[in-house]
Amino acid sequence: MAATIIDSKIFGDIFSDARMREVWSDENRTAKYLDIERALAKVQGELGIIPKAAADEIVKACDIARIDWVKLKAKTEAIGYPIIAVVNQINANCRDGLGEYCHWGATTQDITDTATVLQIREGLALVEADLAELSASIAALAKKHRDTPIIGRSNLQQATPITFGYKMASILAGIERHRERLAQLKPRVLVGEFGGASGTLSSLEKGAMETQAGLMKELGLGQPLISWHTVRDNIAEVGAFLGLVGGSLGKIATDVKLMMQTEVAEVFEPFAPGRGSSSTMPQKRNPISCLYIHANISVVRQHAAALMDAMVADHERSTGPWEIEWVVLPEIFCLISGALKQARFVLAGLEVDAVQMRRNIDLTHGLVMSEAVMMGLGPYIGREYAHDLVYDLCRQALAEKRPLIDILAAHPEIAHHVDRAKLEEFCDPMNNLGQAGVMVDRVLASLS
Amino acid sequence: MAATIIDSKIFGDIFSDARMREVWSDENRTAKYLDIERALAKVQGELGIIPKAAADEIVKACDIARIDWVKLKAKTEAIGYPIIAVVNQINANCRDGLGEYCHWGATTQDITDTATVLQIREGLALVEADLAELSASIAALAKKHRDTPIIGRSNLQQATPITFGYKMASILAGIERHRERLAQLKPRVLVGEFGGASGTLSSLEKGAMETQAGLMKELGLGQPLISWHTVRDNIAEVGAFLGLVGGSLGKIATDVKLMMQTEVAEVFEPFAPGRGSSSTMPQKRNPISCLYIHANISVVRQHAAALMDAMVADHERSTGPWEIEWVVLPEIFCLISGALKQARFVLAGLEVDAVQMRRNIDLTHGLVMSEAVMMGLGPYIGREYAHDLVYDLCRQALAEKRPLIDILAAHPEIAHHVDRAKLEEFCDPMNNLGQAGVMVDRVLASLS
Amino acid sequence: MAATIIDSKIFGDIFSDARMREVWSDENRTAKYLDIERALAKVQGELGIIPKAAADEIVKACDIARIDWVKLKAKTEAIGYPIIAVVNQINANCRDGLGEYCHWGATTQDITDTATVLQIREGLALVEADLAELSASIAALAKKHRDTPIIGRSNLQQATPITFGYKMASILAGIERHRERLAQLKPRVLVGEFGGASGTLSSLEKGAMETQAGLMKELGLGQPLISWHTVRDNIAEVGAFLGLVGGSLGKIATDVKLMMQTEVAEVFEPFAPGRGSSSTMPQKRNPISCLYIHANISVVRQHAAALMDAMVADHERSTGPWEIEWVVLPEIFCLISGALKQARFVLAGLEVDAVQMRRNIDLTHGLVMSEAVMMGLGPYIGREYAHDLVYDLCRQALAEKRPLIDILAAHPEIAHHVDRAKLEEFCDPMNNLGQAGVMVDRVLASLS
Amino acid sequence: MAATIIDSKIFGDIFSDARMREVWSDENRTAKYLDIERALAKVQGELGIIPKAAADEIVKACDIARIDWVKLKAKTEAIGYPIIAVVNQINANCRDGLGEYCHWGATTQDITDTATVLQIREGLALVEADLAELSASIAALAKKHRDTPIIGRSNLQQATPITFGYKMASILAGIERHRERLAQLKPRVLVGEFGGASGTLSSLEKGAMETQAGLMKELGLGQPLISWHTVRDNIAEVGAFLGLVGGSLGKIATDVKLMMQTEVAEVFEPFAPGRGSSSTMPQKRNPISCLYIHANISVVRQHAAALMDAMVADHERSTGPWEIEWVVLPEIFCLISGALKQARFVLAGLEVDAVQMRRNIDLTHGLVMSEAVMMGLGPYIGREYAHDLVYDLCRQALAEKRPLIDILAAHPEIAHHVDRAKLEEFCDPMNNLGQAGVMVDRVLASLS
């Protein structure tokens, strides 16, 4: 029985991704504790800090299958932290008291912080793969629709024509920046923790820095310059990054749901039988994925702020701020995984109705081409004059609900310079797409 | 396997309360759906809107034990919402197609919104009980320590003496205001939803308002003036309320953890063997509950903001904003339940060290009594002059690290007017507690 | 030279309201300090706590025109708080050192908190008036368009017809709840502060509670049960309330801007020459006010969360949390004032195009009436069968892009039971508005 | 008259920095508009896109001294945006209508976005300088106090000794990571905008990309791959970065204010006459700067979330999300500038009381050295046995309130192995600082 939407047996796979939930599960977190204790014993055995026999025994005893979850829960509740409880169980699995050498020189937060970093590494790997997949889908749309005209919209008003490929490519550029950010933050974030009670490793008489270096090498993590038990910019940076990714997914969802409106009908989430339909309203095609994206990322950005609050840590081991991360990290990763999953689904199979896009361009009977007409007439009658004239004729077209082309063609002064064929050329969206294609090409060329 | 800390099998009972998780569980939510469909059929049967036989059959078929969870998950994922899936299962449990009359005139959101309100009612009842218990514990502390002196602290500096009872009573006044807020918001929030596709009940040819009235009566909820599918101030108000409660719990946790500092040591979380202690640092007494409170309420206030975001809903059924509530409501209730649980534990068994409180008052060797000395000397040497003189003597006491009383008693001008016994009277914290007791009495007298 | 958008000499009146900025100005805040010191002296003079001559002199000296702002700034920066600086100036304005009796028994935060409450009172009065005006505008729209059909939209898809009056009335119901909330919170919030250094009024040997009672009476504020220097639920409640109001304004802005889309064009912000138009795109009619509302309330809800953070105050005078309020309160009030101003403008002059609303209902050539058709055919051919048949015919209409009515009328089985005239009756939105009018009436009747 | 604390004539210089306010002032923003229009005309004149004479004239006319602010305000309010109003004024300053070539091919958002980026560049330069100064101050403290012992605190309980230099170095490592982040984000963020109405530069018949390239070169900004009018990860990234910086400052403020507590008294904000003192409580030394830091960064993190909300932009020019940036960017920069200013002040002149630090280590009469004693006795009596024995003796010391050393020395079994001199060696904090110095050296060596 789960209370959260993430762990819900009904909604869990809608609002989050199963692989991401696995990363943040009790089982995986505890497995990480064991990985770290095992690596620590191995390294300290090799360095001669603990007896080789103890190291061997501990390495064997670090077995997730032997964890007694009921005991672990009870002891965690009694103490407030799970590590002593885990170490006790490892210890109990070792012969001849050799388990006493387990956790040698470590403090609770060394293990939990390093476990969190290992979970973050797995979580970011999933995000990275999702971003790559998303990038590929958007790139494919940008390429395919490089020259498919769609009306550009500003302030939810039809403005001037662009291409659907341009629309996709501008979003793609942002996704690519996220991939760059991710590459840059990893060396800062994927750094382990091993400092002992107050972080100075006073718990080890000898081999302290060697143990730290060896442990991090064993785990494939960076070695910290200094302990960071209460210096949490690395963790908060992960949250900020996911918050930024969420913003980009929100932009995608917004555009798709606006384009799916009955009155617009230009693109659609991929069809799946029953999905987004109504038993009594057959005309509906609901943007199901978009709404989950919208919801998840609204919470993700609040979680990003909460992780910044977690940075306000006191002294050498904080009194509450740290636990903010315990609440937030699993959720922010799971919620972003859900949003990414839905976004991948939408963009991998997006239905694009180029005919309807063109129909919408024509909805205003040419008014959206007025800028192009002004520019076209400029060389003949002067730009400023052209502007004023066309502006007036547009208002006339609006008032009389007549196509602009008809009014233009009927205007004696204009007719004097250009014929209807020429005017139609001016009014053809395909002739007024500016650098849309060039910009698409620039973005596609930048892909790694 | 749970990913969130709330549903964690290890940490779940630390960060949240089991009864609250039960309220927001898949099982309870689905049970509420059935309660509503059952009540709807019953009412519509009585009103003659659906056949009596159908009503009877549906009432029987609304049985949580017969829910096929696997099917429910699959169909919910296919459609995006769970209600049709539940109605299908009810229907399948009815003989002779009578189940076709189930969900008559209702729309998905009617059922989910009303279920949410029923869950909120249960959640608020738990919060209400917790606040009552908390109030009683704080009142007991305020009463018992009405006259126990403790130093008042301003900007984390010792200021002037107060009583511990006064400290508790000022917090208690805030808790009482929360109880008032809760009483006031209930009639606004505990209102059901029944409006059909676009909220106008066009789905029912007759008996529409009667069905709505009857359904709400059956469920013990208020009848809405008008549908509120996308007017969500009621839901956001619940979040805001819980955010305010969280703030008060945060204040309590802050004070307790500051008073538990090794250097202060005035109060302690209740002792439990092993709890908050360290295997290598026997001197420690960690404020375990306080740190969970701190963490939970940091997230609660962000969730309160997310619920305000959920108010920005489009048209008659929103496209994403609504689902923010699905994510946030279970969590905000569960996290506040965890914070309330920890706060109740702390305050019900708080260990108060009155001797140490007094020792801390004396830590500055009388400097914290300087205001009282100034006031005491006023009648003899003039208030302004007394101020300047005492201020100078205080600086001397600080510089020479001598008790203020010694310096005062040795000062000829002062000695001329008052003897050491009188000065000691001025310096006695018990003589300088102002209206602390009166204010405690005012708060206690206001308790309902 | 201002840095913030609120105080910007260019944008200030767009993003905020001048009267609200006045409430939170340096001048008004300082004037409130003087009001309080004046009232305190007056009351203490009457109670005989300070000499009558001193009281008279202080009352005269509390004159905003005599404030030396440069000195006030310098001394505030030196000390960290403004009150001593103000009291010094009052004092300097008094003859014969009578000013020494100014601020008698008070502490800095007594004056600043009470001033804040006085500012909140003025700010809430503006909000209250705005809500009343907004309510009247929406009520007028609800009344006028009680029976004006518009398509209801669910998930941004056309669903079933409603009325524009119903749409307005559902929003109105939320505004009315805000007015109720405001009335309920005032007695909790409009309470002054007067407690001295640690809140116990130990600073006054006699007449402490009488002074407090008299001061609050003089200022027209409630008397606190106990000091609340670090118990700030009252302040945070104001923020939460404004956050909720913001959510409602966001809903309005969302609907208006969606309805203003070129492809929808059902309502428009009031026309003002130049406003929302483009020099090169004459077809545009930008939703200017709506976008300011959207922006402001996004920040307002975050500010509401920050005020909850400000509740986490330490001991008797907090070390940072209190100053969060100093940053946030002026902004949250000013931003909500800007959003309210824009919302009032939009709703007072909203242009409603009922013809276009009807045109949009017809956009799907009758598909949005399918629910009504199913219900209409039910009595003749059975409800379930009618559902399946109509659903199939709707898909046919979609595929063939033919009006539903034509397909219905041509269907032999249907034709057997009902003629085209009857079918047109089923398809008439006016016949399928359910309880829209009744619900509008319920809301309008509830208005105070 | 200003309403916000940032622009307050009393508090402005406390909560923000004057240079940062200047960056975000109306004057500087408008000057940036002129810089861009000037650069655009210059580049287009050189490229032959507009007449050379027009370019020359426009370059001259872009003069901030000639801006009519009253007109600018009026027209901005009428239109909703300031750019047309500015262009009109430039135009009016040009002879012979040459000003018509001003703003050629640009759209309002091209100018405002690019101006924002120029302001961000100036703002980030101030932040960068502040971080460098802060880093130098902390490095100096780390170096000077590399070996100054202070008690490490975990969960606000005394734990084991560290050095004050270690404490500073761990914070320093985080500041250095911020400097790395800043260097990495600049190439992504310091990119201009020039795309025309819908971003495709359809507004320029020829030389579009050349104009864009030239303009960016002229302004010293990066050229975008594609327009980013509604792809705002760059702007939100700046907010996230400042939010992270705020978190670090919050950690500093937290530690300093905790160490300034009367009962701890280890460090102090720099002394300035009157600052942080009380007229009636001479013992007080308030952490003034720390509380402003605490307050500012609480709001900064909320603003970071608001900027993520601003990413959820619609289509080619967003309807509200963009304006969130207008509200938030000036404030987040100004508030962080205030926090940085206060933090620089605190750390540049921090008073460190090493004697008191040592006194606090000794407060528990040796209990905080128990870990060291256990380790010291290990080789003689076995580690596990040593642990149990010392743990028991610690409890005895606590119960009897006797120094641990006395109890240890009196214990026959211990005395059998080591004498009191040896025990005192074990108990000497200087012998138990672990790798504190090594870690300090590692951080200092990493400084660029």
Side-chain angles (χ1 to χ4, degrees), chain A residues 239-303:
Chain A
F241 167 69
L242 298 179
L244 295 178
V245 170
S248 293
L249 302 182
K251 195 273 183 283
I252 293 170
T254 297
D255 281 4
V256 169
K257 70 187 180 187
L258 287 173
M259 288 188 284
M260 278 183 75
Q261 288 175 102
T262 305
E263 296 85 355
V264 178
E266 292 173 340
V267 305
F268 299 92
E269 291 191 5
F271 182 76
R275 186 184 164 84
S277 66
S278 162
S279 63
T280 56
M281 297 181 283
Q283 75 281 6
K284 294 193 71 183
R285 183 82 176 268
N286 289 329
I288 296 295
S289 290
C290 290
L291 55 87
Y292 297 128
I293 295 171
H294 180 108
N296 279 16
I297 65 124
S298 170
V299 183
V300 161
R301 67 175 161 261
Q302 299 298 339
H303 279 339

Side-chain angles (χ1 to χ4, degrees), chain A residues 244-448:
Chain A
L244 295 178
V245 170
S248 293
L249 302 182
K251 195 273 183 283
I252 293 170
T254 297
D255 281 4
V256 169
K257 70 187 180 187
L258 287 173
M259 288 188 284
M260 278 183 75
Q261 288 175 102
T262 305
E263 296 85 355
V264 178
E266 292 173 340
V267 305
F268 299 92
E269 291 191 5
F271 182 76
R275 186 184 164 84
S277 66
S278 162
S279 63
T280 56
M281 297 181 283
Q283 75 281 6
K284 294 193 71 183
R285 183 82 176 268
N286 289 329
I288 296 295
S289 290
C290 290
L291 55 87
Y292 297 128
I293 295 171
H294 180 108
N296 279 16
I297 65 124
S298 170
V299 183
V300 161
R301 67 175 161 261
Q302 299 298 339
H303 279 339
L307 287 174
M308 292 173 188
D309 192 16
M311 292 181 69
V312 186
D314 48 282
H315 292 319
E316 282 60 65
R317 212 71 71 71
S318 78
T319 318
W322 184 37
E323 280 75 12
I324 297 173
E325 297 175 8
W326 296 35
V327 179
V328 172
L329 274 177
E331 294 194 7
I332 194 170
F333 267 101
C334 287
L335 290 172
I336 205 74
S337 79
L340 279 164
K341 176 195 218 173
Q342 300 289 354
R344 285 188 292 118
F345 173 77
V346 169
L347 290 164
L350 193 74
E351 291 182 24
V352 177
D353 187 340
V355 173
Q356 176 71 5
M357 286 177 179
R358 178 56 204 249
R359 206 176 288 134
N360 283 336
I361 294 176
D362 297 336
L363 194 71
T364 59
H365 303 298
L367 290 180
V368 297
M369 300 311 301
S370 59
E371 189 195 53
V373 173
M374 288 172 193
M375 285 171 64
L377 288 177
Y380 301 98
I381 58 175
R383 190 161 179 137
E384 285 314 299
Y385 182 70
H387 173 277
D388 295 349
L389 180 59
V390 173
Y391 202 89
D392 285 346
L393 297 180
C394 282
R395 294 203 158 277
Q396 187 187 336
L398 271 170
E400 301 176 6
K401 293 187 189 289
R402 285 172 58 201
L404 180 61
I405 185 78
D406 293 351
I407 291 176
L408 291 171
H411 194 273
E413 192 174 355
I414 292 173
H416 180 71
H417 294 289
V418 292
D419 59 10
R420 189 175 175 112
K422 190 78 188 167
L423 285 169
E424 278 175 350
E425 205 178 285
F426 293 163
C427 285
D428 185 347
M430 292 308 293
N431 295 331
N432 292 282
L433 297 172
Q435 308 300 311
V438 172
M439 290 179 181
V440 171
D441 296 341
R442 283 167 64 92
V443 174
L444 291 176
S446 78
L447 295 182
S448 46

Side-chain angles (χ1 to χ4, degrees), chain A residues 13 26 73 80 292 301 331, chain B residues 8 13 73 80 292 309 331:
Chain A
D13 285 332
D26 288 317
K73 175 180 197 286
Y292 297 128
R301 67 175 161 261
E331 294 194 7
Chain B
S8 162
D13 285 333
K73 174 180 196 287
Y292 297 127
D309 193 14
E331 294 195 8

Side-chain angles (χ1 to χ4, degrees), chain A residues 1-15 18 20-22 24-27 29-30 33 69 72-73 76-82 84 107 197-198 257 261 272-281 284 286-288 290-292 294-296 298-299 301-303 305-306 309-310 312 314-315 317-328 330-331 334-335, chain B residues 1-15 18 20-22 24-27 29-30 33 69 72-73 76-82 84 107 197-198 257 261 272-281 284 286-288 290-292 294-296 298-299 301-303 305-306 309-310 312 314-315 317-328 330-331 334-335:
Chain A
M1 189 188 68
T4 65
I5 202 87
I6 291 168
D7 287 316
S8 161
K9 65 184 174 191
I10 306 298
F11 298 106
D13 285 332
I14 293 176
F15 285 86
M20 190 62 91
R21 290 201 307 278
E22 160 67 25
W24 297 97
S25 66
D26 288 317
E27 287 77 2
R29 186 180 54 245
T30 309
Y33 297 159
W69 298 97
L72 176 51
K73 175 180 197 286
T76 301
E77 287 178 4
I79 297 172
Y81 292 110
I84 295 176
T107 192
S198 298
K257 70 187 180 187
Q261 288 175 102
R275 186 184 164 84
S277 66
S278 162
S279 63
T280 56
M281 297 181 283
K284 294 193 71 183
N286 289 329
I288 296 295
C290 290
L291 55 87
Y292 297 128
H294 180 108
N296 279 16
S298 170
V299 183
R301 67 175 161 261
Q302 299 298 339
H303 279 339
D309 192 16
V312 186
D314 48 282
H315 292 319
R317 212 71 71 71
S318 78
T319 318
W322 184 37
E323 280 75 12
I324 297 173
E325 297 175 8
W326 296 35
V327 179
V328 172
E331 294 194 7
C334 287
L335 290 172
Chain B
M1 188 189 66
T4 63
I5 204 86
I6 292 167
D7 286 317
S8 162
K9 65 183 174 192
I10 306 299
F11 298 106
D13 285 333
I14 294 176
F15 285 86
M20 190 62 91
R21 289 201 309 278
E22 160 68 24
W24 297 97
S25 66
D26 288 317
E27 287 76 2
R29 186 181 52 245
T30 308
Y33 297 159
W69 297 96
L72 176 52
K73 174 180 196 287
T76 301
E77 287 178 5
I79 297 173
Y81 293 109
I84 295 176
T107 193
S198 296
K257 69 188 181 187
Q261 289 175 101
R275 187 183 162 85
S277 67
S278 163
S279 63
T280 56
M281 297 181 284
K284 294 193 69 183
N286 289 329
I288 295 295
C290 289
L291 54 86
Y292 297 127
H294 180 108
N296 278 16
S298 171
V299 184
R301 67 175 160 261
Q302 300 300 135
H303 277 339
D309 193 14
V312 187
D314 48 282
H315 292 317
R317 210 73 68 71
S318 79
T319 319
W322 183 38
E323 280 76 12
I324 297 173
E325 297 175 7
W326 297 33
V327 179
V328 171
E331 294 195 8
C334 286
L335 291 172

Side-chain angles (χ1 to χ4, degrees), chain D residues 229-304:
Chain D
H229 292 126
T230 50
V231 180
R232 314 296 288 186
D233 53 285
N234 47 353
I235 305 294
E237 182 176 18
V238 172
F241 167 69
L242 298 179
L244 295 177
V245 170
S248 293
L249 303 181
K251 195 273 183 282
I252 293 170
T254 297
D255 280 5
V256 169
K257 69 187 181 188
L258 287 174
M259 288 188 284
M260 279 183 74
Q261 288 175 103
T262 305
E263 295 85 356
V264 178
E266 293 173 339
V267 305
F268 299 93
E269 290 190 6
F271 181 75
R275 186 175 165 63
S277 67
S278 162
S279 63
T280 55
M281 297 182 283
Q283 75 280 6
K284 294 192 70 183
R285 183 79 176 270
N286 290 329
I288 296 294
S289 290
C290 289
L291 56 85
Y292 297 128
I293 295 171
H294 180 107
N296 279 15
I297 64 124
S298 170
V299 184
V300 162
R301 67 176 161 260
Q302 300 297 340
H303 278 339

Side-chain angles (χ1 to χ4, degrees), chain A residues 178-191:
Chain A
H178 290 314
R179 297 172 76 189
E180 184 180 281
R181 284 176 190 110
L182 178 50
Q184 289 176 346
L185 70 79
K186 276 202 249 171
R188 273 191 297 274
V189 168
L190 301 183
V191 168

Side-chain angles (χ1 to χ4, degrees), chain B residues 89-150:
Chain B
Q89 294 199 25
I90 298 171
N91 202 339
N93 291 340
C94 291
R95 66 173 168 87
D96 304 332
L98 288 171
E100 295 292 340
Y101 289 99
C102 178
H103 194 67
W104 199 254
T107 193
T108 286
Q109 195 171 346
D110 291 338
I111 309 305
T112 47
D113 272 356
T114 304
T116 298
V117 170
L118 292 172
Q119 288 174 289
I120 287 174
R121 182 169 64 184
E122 291 178 2
L124 288 179
L126 293 175
V127 169
E128 191 168 20
D130 281 354
L131 286 175
E133 195 178 321
L134 198 59
S135 174
S137 293
I138 305 176
L141 286 165
K143 199 167 180 183
K144 179 170 179 193
H145 296 285
R146 182 188 183 280
D147 303 310
T148 305
I150 183 175

